[in-house]
Amino acid sequence: MKLYGKYLAMLLKSQLTYKASFVMTAVGQFFVSFTAFLGVFFLFSRFHEVEGFIFAEVLLCFSIILAAFSLAECFARGFDVFPRLIRTGDLDRILLRPRNVVFQVLTSNMDFTRLGRLLQAGLMLAYALPVSGIVWTADKLFGLGMMLLGGTATFIALFILYAGISFFTIDGIEFMNIFTDGAREFGKYPFSIYGEGVLKLLTYVIPLALFQYYPLLYLIGRSDDIRLLFLPLAGFVFLLPCYAVFRLGLRKYKSTGS
């Protein structure tokens, strides 16, 4: 962890070398997500609820999934851009070093400008918390934290899975964006509004609903089953098969000769 902290500080310092560029990029990230918020806002200015969910409840969904995605993209972006390491041959240099491959990939790319999106998520959450009508007891605050942690773990797992598949395809495959960028976009609303088939897919195959939808039911009082608050832990379990795919790809890896 001490070495990880040194890498983190080094990368942050390097990105702050051009402060104006860093700030403008972070502000750009903020406004990109802000336009998505405006879409939700204008929808609810016309329709007061969507499938029974009011504006503040939807903002809880949106803020959690945006915050989780932003944190994962900030600290695990090395896996998100992993195909580039294969194409350029930089992965060969990583394999020659005496450090763990996962550690090196994690520290190869951290994008702190994504904190602009995190700020947007924080502002939405700060607005939604007092106006949602939820009585914020200790268990519900715990559930909110679990949603954020589980969501971050789930997106990191998806980035690792994407990197693992890249060993076999050399280049990235666009369908994975359905579950990363697509999840960030469609996760603005509770996943149940997209139909039972989509909800089952995001429950039993890709566990996005386990941190975004089911704990929300407990928070807003639609369920009194406190076990729903522990479902986001599935994100950490999901890391295991995704990491297994990555390790399989690593064993099968052959240099591109770049």
Side-chain angles (χ1 to χ4, degrees):
M1 288 301 296
K2 184 177 180 181
L3 182 60
Y4 179 80
K6 288 183 177 179
Y7 268 97
L8 190 149
M10 179 178 64
L11 289 169
L12 179 59
K13 184 178 180 180
S14 67
Q15 291 180 33
L16 287 174
T17 301
Y18 299 97
K19 293 182 177 62
S21 175
F22 179 87
V23 170
M24 286 189 291
T25 304
V27 170
Q29 291 291 333
F30 176 90
F31 280 109
V32 165
S33 57
F34 186 71
T35 56
F37 163 77
L38 288 178
V40 176
F41 175 79
F42 288 128
L43 175 67
F44 276 91
S45 66
R46 177 66 177 85
F47 306 99
H48 299 298
E49 63 178 44
V50 174
E51 292 288 326
F53 294 96
I54 63 174
F55 181 54
E57 293 169 350
V58 168
L59 280 191
L60 282 176
C61 277
F62 190 6
S63 60
I64 287 295
I65 205 160
L66 181 60
F69 183 83
S70 301
L71 288 170
E73 199 175 30
C74 178
F75 295 104
R77 186 161 174 76
F79 287 102
D80 191 27
V81 297
F82 188 80
R84 187 172 64 197
L85 297 179
I86 297 177
R87 291 196 307 270
T88 61
D90 287 339
L91 181 59
D92 296 348
R93 293 192 299 176
I94 287 176
L95 294 174
L96 291 173
R97 294 168 184 163
R99 289 288 176 180
N100 180 273
V101 173
V102 171
F103 174 81
Q104 291 188 71
V105 175
L106 275 175
T107 55
S108 67
N109 195 319
M110 296 183 191
D111 192 347
F112 296 100
T113 61
R114 264 48 182 183
L115 296 178
R117 288 180 184 170
L118 187 62
L119 175 61
Q120 171 67 29
L123 292 175
M124 289 192 296
L125 186 61
Y127 171 80
L129 288 178
V131 302
S132 61
I134 299 172
V135 179
W136 290 102
T137 54
D139 57 334
K140 292 185 177 181
L141 289 172
F142 169 78
L144 194 67
M146 290 292 289
M147 291 169 73
L148 180 58
L149 291 175
T152 304
T154 301
F155 281 119
I156 290 175
L158 287 170
F159 289 150
I160 293 174
L161 178 61
Y162 174 70
I165 294 173
S166 298
F167 281 111
F168 304 98
T169 61
I170 303 300
D171 205 349
I173 44 180
E174 290 300 319
F175 88 87
M176 283 298 298
N177 290 332
I178 298 173
F179 303 111
T180 51
D181 294 281
R184 182 199 67 204
E185 184 65 24
F186 294 111
K188 293 182 295 188
Y189 305 98
F191 285 126
S192 60
I193 74 168
Y194 301 112
E196 184 178 355
V198 172
L199 185 59
K200 286 183 177 179
L201 172 68
L202 300 181
T203 299
Y204 300 110
V205 182
I206 307 296
L208 292 167
L210 296 185
F211 77 86
Q212 187 253 31
Y213 173 65
Y214 295 107
L216 179 71
L217 297 180
Y218 183 86
L219 295 186
I220 64 178
R222 292 197 180 189
S223 173
D224 58 2
D225 188 351
I226 198 171
R227 292 176 297 178
L228 295 179
L229 299 183
F230 295 92
L231 290 180
L233 290 173
F236 294 93
V237 178
F238 187 52
L239 282 165
L240 299 177
C242 294
Y243 178 66
V245 172
F246 181 80
R247 294 298 303 179
L248 175 64
L250 193 60
R251 288 198 297 270
K252 301 291 184 179
Y253 171 70
K254 294 181 181 179
S255 175
T256 59
S258 300

